[in-house]
Amino acid sequence: MKILQSTLYISLFLFVAVMLATSPAAFCRAFIDGVTIWAVSVLPVLLPFALLAPLAARALPRKVSVTGFLFGVHADGLFLPSLICGYPVGAKLISMSDCDKDTATKLSSFCSTPGPIFVVATVGPLLRDARATAIIAVSQLVACVLCGLLNGRFHGGTTKATTTSTADKNFGQSLTDAILSVLSVGALIALVYMFTSMLKSLFPSDVSESLVFNFALGLAEMTNGVFAITSLSRNLSVATTLCSALLAFGGAGVLLQSMSFLSAKGVKVAAYLWQKITQAAIATIVSFLLCLILLRQ
């Protein structure tokens, strides 16, 4: 496994190095485009909540547990902020909690979803239809809850997780942590955006501008994929369903962001990847059915 990982890393490094050497201006511009997307569409939504979510998690009452009832894990202080804030706040809160490896794996199944504010403020204007935006928001919530039921309530007994590692931090330290986490998100988005641009340059325009090809690239970087699908698809139902699938899966960028936090708790990449595949499948089915009902022409 280590040999395979080393080979993969070296291959990626050489690929990026060669592509930058052949066309540095174009791919540096693609990197800047990725930074721009992060700054305009992600930063204003993520930073305030990345700062406030840990504070809110400690302030929530713990006598009655919604997550204990739904998922068999008492972790409202992690679930509710992650549900509101979206990627990767849930993973960050899990890494800051006092839970063990098995509980962290359960938590990652329902503390990993795009925030409704991101869906409404970023994806909604691209779809230009309130019904389509509502379908995506509802499908993400349903997929998150069902994924949590499958991986939480139906696997093991009731456990508990609380955020403890931030209890002694002052506001300045919390602000620093929030800024660093959001900057890491931006760096990954820009890098993956540049990498997908390199891949697109290897194919003819009729392939690189196709809906299927851009959906596949969206599995690498969610935000870029959503932008491409909404601009290429002429069918609102198709665009809504595909965007919902990408948002629930999160893409390789979200996987890397989340695992940078979850690995500290011993969560395995394979386990988290399976959870995201399950969540994406549920969101796709729910979105498709809602589109049939609400978006009938």
Side-chain angles (χ1 to χ4, degrees):
M1 180 62 70
K2 290 184 177 180
I3 296 177
L4 180 62
Q5 288 181 340
S6 299
T7 303
L8 177 62
Y9 294 152
I10 293 173
S11 300
L12 287 174
F13 172 80
L14 292 176
F15 173 74
V16 172
V18 170
M19 295 302 288
L20 279 174
T22 56
S23 186
F27 297 128
C28 287
R29 184 168 60 252
F31 183 89
I32 297 300
D33 290 341
V35 173
T36 302
I37 289 177
W38 165 77
V40 174
S41 302
V42 179
L43 178 61
V45 176
L46 183 58
L47 181 57
F49 293 105
L51 172 61
L52 297 175
L55 304 176
R58 298 201 305 269
L60 286 173
R62 295 169 185 168
K63 292 184 179 181
V64 180
S65 176
V66 174
T67 58
F69 173 75
L70 288 175
F71 311 120
V73 183
H74 292 281
D76 293 60
L78 283 68
F79 172 62
L80 295 179
S82 70
L83 188 65
I84 296 172
C85 305
Y87 305 124
V89 170
K92 180 182 179 181
L93 291 177
I94 292 172
S95 70
M96 296 162 58
S97 72
D98 58 358
C99 66
D100 58 20
K101 172 185 174 182
D102 292 337
T103 303
T105 303
K106 288 184 180 182
L107 289 170
S108 64
S109 68
F110 58 86
C111 292
S112 178
T113 183
I117 297 177
F118 177 78
V119 172
V120 173
T122 301
V123 182
L126 298 175
L127 292 169
R128 299 189 182 96
D129 191 290
R131 297 170 301 168
T133 304
I135 287 172
I136 290 181
V138 170
S139 66
Q140 299 308 307
L141 176 61
V142 172
C144 176
V145 172
L146 290 182
C147 188
L149 288 172
L150 291 172
N151 295 277
R153 170 61 68 182
F154 300 151
H155 288 81
T158 301
T159 52
K160 185 176 182 180
T162 56
T163 51
T164 59
S165 60
T166 59
D168 298 326
K169 290 184 179 180
N170 56 33
F171 182 81
Q173 185 61 51
S174 298
L175 178 61
T176 300
D177 291 344
I179 292 174
L180 290 176
S181 65
V182 173
L183 285 176
S184 69
V185 171
L188 285 170
I189 289 176
L191 285 172
V192 176
Y193 195 95
M194 181 179 68
F195 183 73
T196 55
S197 296
M198 292 176 175
L199 288 178
K200 290 179 71 173
S201 69
L202 300 177
F203 296 86
S205 59
D206 58 334
V207 175
S208 63
E209 297 302 323
S210 68
L211 192 62
V212 173
F213 186 83
N214 281 276
F215 176 80
L217 290 182
L219 296 176
E221 206 292 293
M222 171 188 72
T223 307
N224 184 29
V226 169
F227 273 85
I229 286 171
T230 53
S231 64
L232 292 173
S233 178
R234 297 181 180 180
N235 187 300
L236 182 60
S237 295
V238 171
T240 301
T241 303
L242 292 180
C243 286
S244 184
L246 288 181
L247 290 168
F249 181 67
V254 167
L255 179 67
L256 292 172
Q257 296 164 25
S258 299
M259 287 308 303
S260 67
F261 298 114
L262 295 175
S263 59
K265 287 295 183 180
V267 177
K268 299 297 184 182
V269 175
Y272 183 67
L273 179 60
W274 175 249
Q275 291 170 357
K276 298 310 297 176
I277 292 173
T278 303
Q279 192 172 337
I282 296 172
T284 302
I285 294 171
V286 173
S287 296
F288 176 75
L289 295 175
L290 290 177
C291 285
L292 288 179
I293 299 171
L294 300 177
L295 296 183
R296 294 176 63 182
Q297 301 298 327

